[in-house]
Amino acid sequence: MTLNLDSDYTMTLDGRGESSAQTFDVLNPATEARIAAAPDASLEQLNAAIAAARAAFGPWRDRPIAERQQALRAMADRLEAHADGFMRLLTREQGKPHADARSEVGRCVVWLREFAARELPVDRYDDGAGHLFETRRVAIGVVAAISPWNFPMTLAIWKIAPALLAGNTVVLKPSPYTPLTSLKMGELFRDVLPPGVLNVISGGDRLGPWLTEHPGIDKIAFTGSTVTGRRVMQSASARLKRVTLELGGNDAAIVLPDVDVKDTAAKLFWGAFRNSSQYCLATKRLYVHESIYDAFADALATVAAGVVVGDGAQPGTGLGPIQNRVQYERVKELIADAHRTGVRFLTGGDVPEGKGYFVPVTILDNPPDDARSVVEEAFGPVLPLLKYRDVDEAVRRANDTEYGLGGSVWSRDVARAQAIARRLETGTVWINHIHVMSPNVAFGGHKQSGVGVENALDGLLEYTNVQTVSVLA
Ligand code: NAD
């Protein structure tokens, strides 16, 4: 199949490409140049997408799972064959360096293949009184998949793969800031899947609420901010739609005094700043023991000095721009607030003028616990480095947040680190490494970082209803 990734961005409705009367501009965040005009779906087009998904649902659900597994494998092969083109398009619309974009496309392929290897479990129970119970997992119906702009491909595939495998059909709505890779994935998979099984629609701010409130949607799989997540849950409540919500985070790293300072600082630099910190699981508060704090600060600043912030399409770029102007202004305001309140900067803090939403790596020297940079999810390269005296205090401060997504603990004493990890109120804790994820490991947030999980069997089961059939033997 030949796919032109540079133009002709159309939605996928009932297996066909469709443009729309209205469009909106998609910009390259490194240059602020317009890359493309994306279709701005009308309500009629959304209705048509959902109707197509409903019509396709029964036949898709009733196929043997082996056929759906085969379809996922075919999607993986297609995507892999077009990996270079998707890598370039992802960098153009999202801003991330090519190497990171390549990893993101590669992860999509892996996720599709790993989900293709899964089965839906069946539980059987004989109560000894003549009743045989069989509990199966059945598809829910039409899934609305809503993705954000930081990992537009990965976070779409994390929903599409398990939803389709379980026998659901999907309407995918990408962020209006990064719709192009999703629109092209829709096109890429058009003749791999039966019409209506995967629909991709794009649009502005009105489209999300239209979709989540729509009576034709049975389940909402959403990744985005906690604020929007609350709205999604509210619109789901009217019809008790199933929801999976992957929301914001304010992850803490706790560094014990016995670590190799240079090595740990290098790893945590990338744990904090990869994807220019536009990462739900980015280290957003870094607690370092007071005895190594100064050495750690120096080591972090040394790594920062060697990292190029620039256009992700240029070789040598380590960190790209902020993805969009709204977020760029938010991050600049956070930096301005730190200046206003007299926080010392270990590095960064001066945002350059000019085209592109570039923010330098900015590390703040031990701001107070109630500083905005500590309390809020920055979602940009502004990291508070925080000093602690004893571990109980570090754990208490790490847990003192409405979020509960991830975190990490760093020590040569792994047993001690594990004991600390168990006290953190988060869905994931890494010890002496960070951000290793797998389609076979469940991922989700505690507290206001989310509802439900993605990945692994737990994630797959979120796309099913339980059905128990009991027979009198
Ligand atoms: P966002 O909440 O602004 O938007 C996410 C998606 O929801 C977009 O597609 C948007 O168009 C749509 N949307 C907006 N308003 C809506 C509404 N009322 N109803 C339905 N849909 C609506 O988030 P963002 O700014 O695109 O992404 C950044 C946020 O996402 C951060 O908070 C980050 O932590 C979070 N995030 C979480 C995870 C995770 O897995 N927990 C992963 C990545 C990002």
Side-chain angles (χ1 to χ4, degrees), residues 146-151 155 158 173-176 204-205 208-209 212 222-226 228-229 231-232 246-249 279-280 284 330 377 379 405 443 449 454:
I146 302 179
S147 52
W149 45 259
N150 58 342
F151 290 92
L155 296 172
W158 280 21
K173 190 206 85 66
S175 164
D205 291 345
T212 54
F222 171 86
T223 301
S225 63
T226 296
T228 312
R231 287 190 198 120
V232 169
E246 294 290 359
L247 308 177
Y279 197 169
C280 54
K284 293 175 183 139
R330 212 175 280 157
E377 179 186 37
F379 228 62
L405 197 56
F443 162 69
S449 284
E454 292 194 293

Side-chain angles (χ1 to χ4, degrees), residues 22 29 56 102 117 121 148 171 225 255 258 322 324 336 343 361 381 416 452 472:
Q22 290 182 40
R102 181 178 295 287
V171 178
S225 63
V255 180
D258 65 352
I322 297 296
N324 59 74
V343 174
V361 168
R416 187 167 181 218
L472 182 62

Side-chain angles (χ1 to χ4, degrees), residues 83-114:
D84 277 356
F86 272 97
M87 170 196 79
R88 281 192 293 275
L89 180 59
L90 181 55
T91 293
R92 273 211 305 285
E93 74 168 347
Q94 204 285 330
K96 64 186 68 193
H98 272 165
D100 291 345
R102 181 178 295 287
S103 309
E104 179 162 351
V105 179
R107 277 197 301 275
C108 293
V109 172
V110 170
W111 253 252
L112 284 163
R113 289 202 176 123
E114 290 293 317

Side-chain angles (χ1 to χ4, degrees), residues 125-413:
Y125 174 64
D126 179 345
D127 70 356
H131 308 112
L132 298 178
F133 297 87
E134 191 175 88
T135 300
R136 302 188 305 130
R137 295 291 184 149
V138 297
I140 298 173
V142 178
V143 172
I146 302 179
S147 52
W149 45 259
N150 58 342
F151 290 92
M153 293 185 69
T154 305
L155 296 172
I157 291 294
W158 280 21
K159 296 164 182 53
I160 293 169
L164 295 188
L165 182 75
N168 305 279
T169 55
V170 172
V171 178
L172 168 67
K173 190 206 85 66
S175 164
Y177 293 118
T178 52
L180 304 180
T181 43
S182 291
L183 292 170
K184 283 295 171 187
M185 283 200 288
E187 185 179 341
L188 183 72
F189 301 144
R190 252 173 230 165
D191 62 348
V192 175
L193 297 166
V197 167
L198 174 63
N199 306 274
V200 184
I201 52 166
S202 56
D205 291 345
R206 53 190 191 164
L207 189 55
W210 282 351
L211 183 58
T212 54
E213 284 160 16
H214 201 289
I217 296 295
D218 302 297
K219 154 138 194 150
I220 304 165
F222 171 86
T223 301
S225 63
T226 296
V227 171
T228 312
R230 290 190 194 107
R231 287 190 198 120
V232 169
M233 201 162 181
Q234 201 163 13
S235 40
S237 71
R239 287 168 194 269
L240 297 177
K241 290 171 188 160
R242 309 308 187 247
V243 289
T244 302
L245 305 174
E246 294 290 359
L247 308 177
N250 195 2
D251 291 13
I254 300 179
V255 180
L256 272 62
D258 65 352
V259 297
D260 176 328
V261 167
K262 255 190 167 167
D263 182 60
T264 306
K267 288 178 179 148
L268 271 171
F269 177 87
W270 290 107
F273 292 107
R274 179 154 327 274
N275 214 40
S276 295
S277 310
Q278 302 163 110
Y279 197 169
C280 54
L281 286 159
T283 298
K284 293 175 183 139
R285 296 172 294 149
L286 209 176
Y287 294 95
V288 177
H289 191 262
E290 59 181 3
S291 63
I292 57 165
Y293 180 89
D294 290 341
F296 203 91
D298 286 350
L300 273 181
T302 304
V303 182
V307 173
V308 176
V309 178
D311 185 336
Q314 296 300 321
T317 296
L319 296 171
I322 297 296
Q323 199 284 322
N324 59 74
R325 177 162 287 281
V326 174
Q327 186 61 23
Y328 175 64
E329 297 296 341
R330 212 175 280 157
V331 175
K332 282 205 303 189
E333 169 49 32
L334 213 54
I335 292 176
D337 179 76
H339 280 297
R340 272 196 305 271
T341 52
V343 174
R344 209 174 77 85
F345 288 68
L346 290 165
T347 185
D350 295 316
V351 179
E353 298 289 326
K355 284 282 178 205
Y357 309 136
F358 297 106
V359 175
V361 168
T362 297
I363 304 176
L364 305 175
D365 184 11
N366 200 29
D369 280 357
D370 62 355
R372 284 187 55 192
S373 59
V374 180
V375 176
E376 295 178 22
E377 179 186 37
F379 228 62
V382 183
L383 176 71
L385 187 65
L386 300 155
K387 213 179 271 190
Y388 75 88
R389 185 160 289 172
D390 73 75
V391 163
D392 289 347
E393 168 211 335
V395 170
R396 181 183 51 72
R397 291 164 72 193
N399 285 336
D400 185 19
T401 167
E402 68 186 23
Y403 294 112
L405 197 56
S408 59
V409 183
W410 304 75
S411 171
R412 285 184 215 267
D413 183 344

